[in-house]
Amino acid sequence: MKKLLNSLYILDELAYLSLDGENIVCKCEGKERFRVPFSNIEDIYCFNYNGCSPALMGKCVEYGIPLNFLNPYGKFLARVQGEAKGNVYLRKAQFEMLSDVPLILPQNTVAAKLSNTRMLIKRSLKDYPQIDDDGSVRECLGYLQSGIEAVYEAKDKETILGIEGNCAKAYFGIFEKLILQQKDDFEMVNRTKRPPLDRVNAALSFMYTIATSSCASALESVGLDSYAGFYHSFRSGRNSLACDMVEEMRCIVERLILTMINLKQLKAEDFETQATGAVYLTKDGRKKVLSSWQEKKRTVILHPYIKEKIPLGLLPFVQSTLLAKYIRGEIPEYPCYLLK
């Protein structure tokens, strides 16, 4: 199992990373800001324009440290990855499976996503019954449950995609009710992605990108091709399998953002609006969210399938290992992560 260490996030747009022996050195405008040993780093996320030295990239490859490049607003750009781990037989089995994907895979993935969404809503409803003053929250819970049942009646992936889309529309239609504080500053009419058009969507999109990148790293670490998915269609530059896996974990991101808004840890001044209407987190806003994410990853959970306690940050690696076992035929079904 991969040891949970630390993620390094470079948020200063003018920062430049270089290599000095066994240390990562961060400089800004020619002045050294800090240095950190490679032994303390699990992965690196660069939100800067200047990038890093080729020597550092080579060292990251040697140490198996994923190096992710994003623009300052959190849009994924590229990723430096070393040679594929594992063995060729696993990837061969993966591509053989993709030639005739068992329908149960996308069915379980979407059902797990909808089930976890229901758990998130039910927890909020239990603590704050007043959010359902007009009955729309319970109506959404019923709709999501019907969606889970419909998924297993579907005969093809296209039908499942339609069901998921309708359920997502219903969910984000009541998402604003889960926001209990700062309601004037954090209004959300619907889900907008490219670009996000309000503060809630901006925070969600930013963290979805980070979570998807973590899943991609985990999948590659067990020897799977993160670009070859069973549910999301192939697209140049998209980690389709990571997009598949993150579906069952989206609820974790959504709970984090809701908590930060409701505890007033995230405020209106942590966002900026561009002339086009696009809304993004500021540098300080990104720092707040990532700090909370790092703390969240250290939360210990009881994994429902392996029945062991693990840090939340290891969840993508556990799920990747289970998916690899399923593809190799060692277990009869891939067990998606389910909130209990």
Side-chain angles (χ1 to χ4, degrees):
M1 184 179 290
K2 187 176 178 69
K3 184 180 179 182
L4 179 66
L5 296 172
N6 293 304
S7 297
L8 177 62
Y9 299 97
I10 306 301
L11 299 178
D12 195 313
E13 297 174 16
L14 300 178
Y16 180 77
L17 295 183
S18 60
L19 176 68
D20 184 12
E22 296 296 310
N23 297 302
I24 300 169
V25 179
C26 178
K27 292 183 178 180
C28 190
E29 298 181 332
K31 296 181 179 180
E32 184 174 322
R33 297 286 294 274
F34 67 85
R35 60 176 56 214
V36 59
F38 268 96
S39 59
N40 293 338
I41 299 301
E42 178 188 35
D43 47 14
I44 302 173
Y45 296 85
C46 293
F47 295 85
N48 55 337
Y49 288 119
N50 293 333
C52 63
S53 70
L56 177 63
M57 291 186 189
K59 198 72 169 180
C60 287
V61 168
E62 178 186 343
Y63 276 56
I65 298 174
L67 181 56
N68 303 278
F69 293 97
L70 306 95
N71 73 8
Y73 301 108
K75 180 182 178 182
F76 179 80
L77 299 175
R79 185 163 172 266
V80 175
Q81 177 80 26
E83 64 177 318
K85 299 181 181 180
N87 58 65
V88 67
Y89 297 107
L90 175 58
R91 294 205 174 201
K92 179 175 181 290
Q94 179 185 359
F95 283 99
E96 286 174 350
M97 181 198 71
L98 293 176
S99 65
D100 186 18
V101 176
L103 193 59
I104 194 64
L105 266 177
Q107 285 176 325
N108 282 349
T109 293
V110 174
K113 175 184 179 179
L114 299 182
S115 176
N116 290 340
T117 300
R118 291 187 81 250
M119 286 298 297
L120 185 154
I121 297 173
K122 288 170 71 175
R123 287 179 180 177
S124 295
L125 187 57
K126 180 181 178 181
D127 294 335
Y128 306 99
Q130 67 272 20
I131 65 175
D132 194 33
D133 54 353
D134 60 357
S136 60
V137 174
R138 291 191 182 278
E139 182 180 347
C140 179
L141 285 172
Y143 191 85
L144 293 175
Q145 181 59 44
S146 298
I148 294 173
E149 296 167 4
V151 160
Y152 287 110
E153 295 173 358
K155 303 300 182 184
D156 52 63
K157 189 176 74 171
E158 288 68 29
T159 302
I160 297 173
L161 281 164
I163 295 168
E164 181 194 10
N166 291 333
C167 287
K169 184 177 180 180
Y171 170 48
F172 285 112
I174 61 98
F175 195 82
E176 194 174 55
K177 287 181 170 290
L178 308 182
I179 299 173
L180 308 172
Q181 302 290 335
Q182 309 182 88
K183 295 184 76 69
D184 291 339
D185 291 330
F186 289 91
E187 295 180 330
M188 181 184 186
V189 177
N190 51 46
R191 177 80 179 111
T192 55
K193 305 176 184 178
R194 303 179 188 87
L197 299 177
D198 59 61
R199 297 182 181 112
V200 180
N201 275 295
L204 288 174
S205 291
F206 178 76
M207 273 312 308
Y208 286 152
T209 298
I210 299 298
T212 303
S213 184
S214 295
C215 288
S217 298
L219 289 162
E220 295 284 350
S221 74
V222 301
L224 291 169
D225 189 331
S226 65
Y227 289 88
F230 56 80
Y231 182 51
H232 286 81
S233 58
F234 289 7
R235 182 185 301 170
S236 179
R238 179 164 77 176
N239 295 99
S240 295
L241 188 58
C243 291
D244 293 344
M245 178 168 288
V246 83
E247 294 293 352
E248 59 199 81
M249 305 177 196
R250 284 181 182 269
C251 59
I252 299 171
V253 167
E254 292 151 8
R255 172 53 63 189
L256 174 74
I257 298 303
L258 284 169
T259 298
M260 293 191 71
I261 294 172
N262 289 333
L263 293 180
K264 299 183 180 180
Q265 297 170 338
L266 204 56
K267 299 181 180 180
E269 55 263 33
D270 294 316
F271 298 82
E272 58 185 7
T273 303
Q274 297 187 340
T276 59
V279 181
Y280 296 105
L281 282 159
T282 63
K283 176 184 173 183
D284 287 340
R286 295 194 297 272
K287 187 180 296 183
K288 286 182 181 180
V289 174
L290 291 171
S291 295
S292 294
W293 179 241
Q294 286 293 87
E295 183 179 349
K296 183 74 173 178
K297 288 200 298 182
R298 291 176 172 83
T299 304
V300 176
I301 62 170
L302 178 65
H303 193 281
Y305 183 80
I306 65 174
K307 307 299 182 185
E308 291 184 24
K309 291 183 178 180
I310 61 168
L312 185 62
L314 281 183
L315 183 59
F317 294 93
V318 173
Q319 293 305 118
S320 296
T321 299
L322 292 172
L323 181 58
K325 285 181 175 291
Y326 167 72
I327 291 174
R328 285 193 295 260
E330 297 175 13
I331 54 178
E333 190 171 303
Y334 166 63
C336 294
Y337 175 68
L338 290 171
L339 283 175
K340 299 292 184 181

